[in-house]
Amino acid sequence: MQILSGKEVSQAQLEQVKEEGIKFNEQFGRFPCLAVILVGDNPASQSYVKSKHKACVRLGFGHKDYHLPDETTETELLRLIDQLNTDTTVDGILVQLPLPKGLDEEKVIEAIDPNKDVDGFHPMNTGKLLTGLDGFVSCTPSGVMAILRYYHIETSGKHAVIVGRSNIVGKPMAALLMKKGVDATVTICNSRTKDLASYTKTADILIAAIGKSEYITASMIKDGAVVIDVGINRVEDASRKRGYRVCGDVDYADCESKASAMTPVPGGVGLMTIAMLMENTLKGAKINVSKDNQ
Ligand SMILES: NC(=O)c1ccc[n+]([C@@H]2O[C@H](COP(=O)([O-])OP(=O)(O)OC[C@H]3O[C@@H](n4cnc5c(N)ncnc54)[C@H](OP(=O)(O)O)[C@@H]3O)[C@@H](O)[C@H]2O)c1
């Protein structure tokens, strides 16, 4: 079985973005800049924000980090987004989700300038994705596509089954796989799907984005399937220093002997998400300077 290493692909991707960032700086006298807003003290969110900060530092990108208290009002958050929208030195704006109760995520996402929406969550960008127009694409599914391309995994005419229909993973994943040129035949499953295994067993490419630890087992996949595990779950483990281990939505050990290729967790799709965010920030910077020149 081939291991689809997110570590290898993300490193290659980051190197390429770094080089382009250097060229951007030579031409425009500054590096692309990402603004990240974190509201509250959710530990998982704090660790995601830290990784994004580290990636900016590694690439020499500019970064503006805003850590707002739990009790921040919607008006205050929207005012900050507005400031960043008009700040010409900021190319990408990311509001770390989930937001504390009382803050309307949809309203907050829609407040971000679609040209700086590096998460690709704004309805303008999700609409562009569906209609095949160029825009920002959600980082996790575009990271999955980068893995498939890197390892030359054929998608045309293949049956791709996605388990999960969230706005940030399942739906954009489906849109990317059904795109002209990618040409997979796509099935999307959800929690109400009856006899899930009868669908997953027909998948040439199976994408698990469920949020349930090791849910997909060998009996649910077809011989030779390509299995992409998007899940990141924490499972209590007293033998570990931190008290938990991280696993995916796929039972890796069980599926290993049946799949032809699989992404590990950790070391798989998760690393790609950050690499694609950096690529989107570079894209935002290019859009930003092209507006300046108009
Ligand atoms: N690698 C990364 O960087 C990255 C990024 C984002 C998310 N993730 C991880 O990916 C996983 C999914 O994230 P998400 O944000 O998409 O989660 P989510 O919003 O909770 O969506 C989960 C989806 O799975 C479906 N589902 C749940 N149980 C199911 C079952 N038994 N059978 C079939 N479908 C089922 C749900 O169906 P309903 O719609 O019917 O409820 C829902 O559509 C999580 O583990 C998350 O931590 C990883």
Side-chain angles (χ1 to χ4, degrees):
M1 189 208 64
Q2 182 175 29
I3 296 171
L4 306 174
S5 166
K7 195 169 176 191
E8 187 176 323
V9 187
S10 66
Q11 268 168 8
Q13 191 89 20
L14 284 170
E15 274 315 304
Q16 199 187 326
V17 176
K18 187 175 180 178
E19 272 171 36
E20 282 199 56
I22 292 168
K23 280 190 205 142
F24 184 91
N25 181 45
E26 281 165 5
Q27 201 176 347
F28 300 104
R30 68 172 182 86
F31 281 89
C33 176
L34 174 67
V36 175
I37 305 173
L38 170 66
V39 189
D41 294 311
N42 178 322
S45 294
Q46 279 179 322
S47 108
Y48 292 142
V49 164
K50 215 187 258 176
S51 314
K52 288 162 189 173
H53 177 96
K54 267 196 202 157
C56 283
V57 172
R58 174 174 168 184
L59 266 55
F61 280 20
H63 46 86
K64 293 188 175 188
D65 299 324
Y66 299 86
H67 190 174
L68 309 181
D70 221 10
E71 55 279 7
T72 302
T73 65
E74 201 166 274
T75 313
E76 287 165 337
L77 179 56
L78 293 175
R79 198 179 303 133
L80 173 58
I81 292 173
D82 214 33
Q83 271 171 31
L84 296 170
N85 280 342
T86 53
D87 184 340
T88 53
T89 66
V90 169
D91 305 304
I93 304 169
L94 182 150
V95 179
Q96 187 64 47
L97 301 179
L99 287 172
K101 279 197 187 106
L103 298 175
D104 182 341
E105 282 186 3
E106 271 174 40
K107 208 166 167 185
V108 169
I109 290 168
E110 283 182 33
I112 297 171
D113 178 347
N115 284 320
K116 296 189 179 187
D117 169 40
V118 283
D119 252 342
F121 296 163
H122 192 287
M124 181 81 90
N125 284 314
T126 53
K128 280 185 172 176
L129 173 61
L130 270 180
T131 48
L133 296 171
D134 185 37
F136 288 103
V137 179
S138 178
C139 300
T140 302
S142 63
V144 171
M145 295 309 296
I147 290 179
L148 295 177
R149 280 194 302 272
Y150 185 90
Y151 287 102
H152 306 291
I153 290 167
E154 181 64 83
T155 49
S156 177
K158 300 293 177 188
H159 185 205
V161 176
I162 302 165
V163 189
R165 58 171 166 188
S166 70
N167 286 341
I168 63 169
V169 188
K171 282 182 202 160
M173 192 72 254
L176 287 170
L177 284 164
M178 72 171 91
K179 233 175 149 173
K180 264 209 160 49
V182 180
D183 302 322
T185 304
V186 180
T187 300
I188 311 169
C189 302
N190 60 68
S191 64
R192 303 296 166 98
T193 299
K194 287 200 171 78
D195 191 7
L196 181 67
S198 68
Y199 294 93
T200 55
K201 268 192 227 164
T202 65
D204 301 307
I205 300 170
L206 177 65
I207 317 259
I210 314 167
K212 288 189 172 154
S213 312
E214 298 169 339
Y215 194 78
I216 303 288
T217 55
S219 63
M220 297 171 78
I221 68 170
K222 146 167 144 178
D223 268 323
V226 173
V227 180
I228 307 286
D229 191 352
V230 179
I232 300 179
N233 309 294
R234 285 182 181 191
V235 178
E236 272 186 41
D237 185 343
S239 70
R240 305 282 170 112
K241 206 170 157 193
R242 53 188 179 182
Y244 66 87
R245 68 182 171 92
V246 173
C247 70
D249 291 343
V250 177
D251 185 335
Y252 190 90
D254 198 34
C255 294
E256 209 172 2
S257 55
K258 211 168 175 192
S260 63
M262 198 157 45
T263 57
V265 177
V269 177
L271 295 171
M272 290 309 300
T273 301
I274 302 245
M276 302 322 282
L277 174 66
M278 293 299 109
E279 190 177 275
N280 277 353
T281 303
L282 175 70
K283 183 184 173 103
K286 289 178 181 170
I287 296 173
N288 204 353
V289 292
S290 73
K291 279 192 297 187
D292 284 351
N293 293 338
Q294 275 167 14

